[in-house]
Amino acid sequence: MEELQMGASEGRYTVRQPEQARNKRLEETQETRGKGNRERPWEQKRWQPRPRDVDTMEPEGHGLAKMTGCRLWTATSKALFVEFLATGLYVFFGVGSTLHWPLALPTVLQITITFNLATAMAVQITWKTSGAHINPAVTLAFLVGSQISLPRAVAYVAAQLTGATVGAAVLYGVTPGDIRETLGINMIYFTGCSMNPARSFGPALIVGKFTLHWIFWVGPLTGAVLASLIYNFILFPDTKTLAQRLAILTGTEETKKLVALEPQKESQSSSEDSIPKSVCQVI
């Protein structure tokens, strides 16, 4: 009998233990509700920003400006590199064809064909990225016609002159001394038919001869300005306003275009994500 009572008492104890635990939790809940809007410890830990979430918490305008600047810098860097590379190759092969090789002296026709092939090669590798200028005179014509900003034009010319200098230096290094002589500096007939100031500047800088070098800048640049004015204002008048031209000149128009393209890219990416995987594979 005593054992049953002990068992019963133990049974009552085991039955009442969950009730006591529920009462205790109820009391704790009431206490936490009475403390107002204070967050619980686990909620505080959950809502604390992590270091990798800092960028996502930035204002939308700041993040868009940062992304636009990054895209603009990437596109400009690629354009400058291809202008540098193409101009260097153009000078290397073009000027190389004018040297007095002992086996066969180059004719005017051979030099012309070589320069045209070098131009075609340079245009083919740069027209999608930079517009295939490869010539400071062409860049100036684009600037006068409100087709390019002033900072980009200055950067293009710097890349072209640097590429021409590197191309001339490489040609100077791989060519024997008795062949390179003046490295194709413009001295045949009247001017040597140099309509590219970068082509004239590179060899002149490497050899160190700038006799009448100003002619090869004033002539092509003047012709480029006149041609751009005649084309854009007489033959095919451009309808851009003065405000639009100033925006293009300062480079703000290019930034606006990138900002306008951002929502389109985001909508395209979201629509692509919504397409089922099987459909994407079929496409």
Side-chain angles (χ1 to χ4, degrees):
M1 189 67 177
E2 293 178 356
E3 293 178 357
L4 292 174
Q5 291 178 354
M6 293 177 62
S9 62
E10 291 177 357
R12 287 193 299 270
Y13 178 77
T14 55
V15 172
R16 292 176 180 174
Q17 187 175 4
E19 296 178 357
Q20 294 177 357
R22 284 197 298 270
N23 295 334
K24 186 176 181 179
R25 287 198 298 269
L26 182 59
E27 293 176 358
E28 291 178 353
T29 304
Q30 293 176 354
E31 290 179 358
T32 53
R33 288 180 178 177
K35 292 180 180 180
N37 296 327
R38 187 172 60 185
E39 295 179 348
R40 298 176 182 176
W42 54 85
E43 292 179 348
Q44 293 178 359
K45 184 177 181 180
R46 182 178 60 185
W47 290 106
Q48 284 181 351
R50 293 171 293 179
R52 62 182 180 181
D53 296 335
V54 174
D55 294 336
T56 60
M57 297 178 64
E58 294 180 353
E60 183 178 357
H62 179 71
L64 182 60
K66 186 177 180 181
M67 184 181 299
T68 303
C70 182
R71 290 181 182 275
L72 182 61
W73 169 250
T74 302
T76 305
S77 301
K78 290 181 180 180
L80 294 179
F81 176 74
V82 297
E83 285 290 321
F84 163 82
L85 178 63
T87 309
L89 294 175
Y90 171 81
V91 170
F92 179 84
F93 290 105
V95 175
S97 67
T98 65
L99 303 182
H100 297 281
W101 299 97
L103 296 180
L105 294 177
T107 63
V108 176
L109 179 60
Q110 291 174 338
I111 296 174
T112 304
I113 293 175
T114 304
F115 267 101
N116 287 332
L117 291 177
T119 303
M121 171 199 63
V123 171
Q124 181 65 26
I125 64 177
T126 60
W127 72 275
K128 282 188 176 181
T129 306
S130 66
H133 292 196
I134 324 163
N135 188 334
V138 175
T139 303
L140 180 60
F142 272 77
L143 181 65
V144 173
S146 299
Q147 303 294 330
I148 190 175
S149 65
L150 179 60
R152 182 179 283 265
V154 173
Y156 271 26
V157 173
Q160 293 159 4
L161 296 181
T162 305
T165 303
V166 172
V170 174
L171 180 64
Y172 185 89
V174 300
T175 306
D178 58 340
I179 296 177
R180 61 182 176 230
E181 295 180 352
T182 58
L183 201 64
I185 291 179
N186 304 108
M187 297 185 297
I188 55 174
Y189 301 105
F190 293 101
T191 63
C193 192
S194 177
M195 294 173 286
N196 189 335
R199 174 257 180 272
S200 302
F201 177 80
L205 181 63
I206 297 301
V207 179
K209 292 183 179 180
F210 290 92
T211 303
L212 299 177
H213 183 71
W214 62 271
I215 295 176
F216 307 106
W217 282 89
V218 175
L221 295 182
T222 304
V225 171
L226 292 177
S228 181
L229 292 175
I230 293 173
Y231 182 88
N232 291 291
F233 295 94
I234 298 177
L235 297 180
F236 301 95
D238 200 344
T239 58
K240 294 186 180 71
T241 63
L242 180 60
Q244 291 176 337
R245 294 182 183 278
L246 290 177
I248 295 173
L249 183 66
T250 57
T252 56
E253 185 69 20
E254 187 174 3
T255 305
K256 290 180 181 179
K257 290 181 180 180
L258 288 176
V259 172
L261 288 176
E262 290 299 330
Q264 297 179 3
K265 293 181 179 179
E266 292 179 358
S267 61
Q268 290 178 359
S269 61
S270 61
S271 61
E272 291 176 358
D273 293 340
S274 62
I275 300 176
K277 185 177 181 181
S278 59
V279 179
C280 291
Q281 291 177 350
V282 173
I283 294 174

